[in-house]
Amino acid sequence: ALGIGLSWMIGREFADGTITGLFALPVPRWAIALAKLLIYLAWTIAVSLALCATLLTLGLLLGHGAPDPTEWQALARQIPVTIFVGLAATPAAWATTLGRGLLPGIATAIGLFAAIPAVVAYNRYAHDIDRLAIRFETFIEEFSNILQRNATQH
């Protein structure tokens, strides 16, 4: 959702046809882009705070009681995690600008939504496979040594 919001914020000038008026202002283009990204950062921070407040309120309304210290820590961790997710969607702004519309940015946001967990999962499973391969190699060496000892004893 954050990437789609960023795509809308950057790409709506292209879709509405107001980009020429925006670039005709006596303001450098980098300042316009920076202002949009700073507003997006503020929006992302507001969303992360609202998400934590909503989680806290729902927990209280559902009768889970006051959070204990570990739950407060989890809520506090949720804020930077949501902000980092918002920052990970920043390439959607470049795709929106390059594609001159909303759809390239939305497609990029959806692609990032699918690609980032896939890369994390791939790295995790690749590490697990490497660890298993080392265990199998160790087992093979130990088993080979046992067979060699038994063969020389008989």
Side-chain angles (χ1 to χ4, degrees):
L2 294 170
I4 293 172
L6 180 61
S7 297
W8 176 83
M9 195 169 78
I10 300 290
R12 71 181 181 86
E13 281 88 8
F14 294 109
D16 295 344
T18 57
I19 192 73
T20 54
L22 184 64
F23 284 157
L25 294 174
V27 178
R29 289 183 180 181
W30 65 265
I32 294 170
L34 181 62
K36 286 183 174 279
L37 289 175
L38 288 174
I39 288 171
Y40 173 70
L41 178 62
W43 180 66
T44 303
I45 292 170
V47 166
S48 68
L49 293 172
L51 176 64
C52 286
T54 302
L55 290 172
L56 180 62
T57 304
L58 281 175
L60 293 172
L61 288 176
L62 293 174
H64 294 287
D68 61 21
T70 58
E71 292 166 341
W72 281 112
Q73 289 174 350
L75 279 173
R77 270 193 315 268
Q78 185 62 46
I79 294 170
V81 166
T82 305
I83 292 170
F84 286 134
V85 167
L87 293 177
T90 304
W94 287 290
T96 300
T97 302
L98 293 174
R100 307 270 189 235
L102 294 170
L103 291 180
I106 292 171
T108 302
I110 291 170
L112 287 170
F113 181 74
I116 291 172
V119 169
V120 169
Y122 170 79
N123 288 335
R124 178 176 176 223
Y125 290 123
H127 174 73
D128 289 347
I129 288 172
D130 288 343
R131 208 175 69 225
L132 277 174
I134 291 170
R135 288 178 61 193
F136 284 142
E137 288 173 3
T138 304
F139 170 76
I140 289 170
E141 287 176 17
E142 290 175 0
F143 189 67
S144 175
N145 290 337
I146 291 170
L147 289 177
Q148 287 177 353
R149 272 186 273 153
N150 285 341
T152 56
Q153 289 176 358
H154 297 291

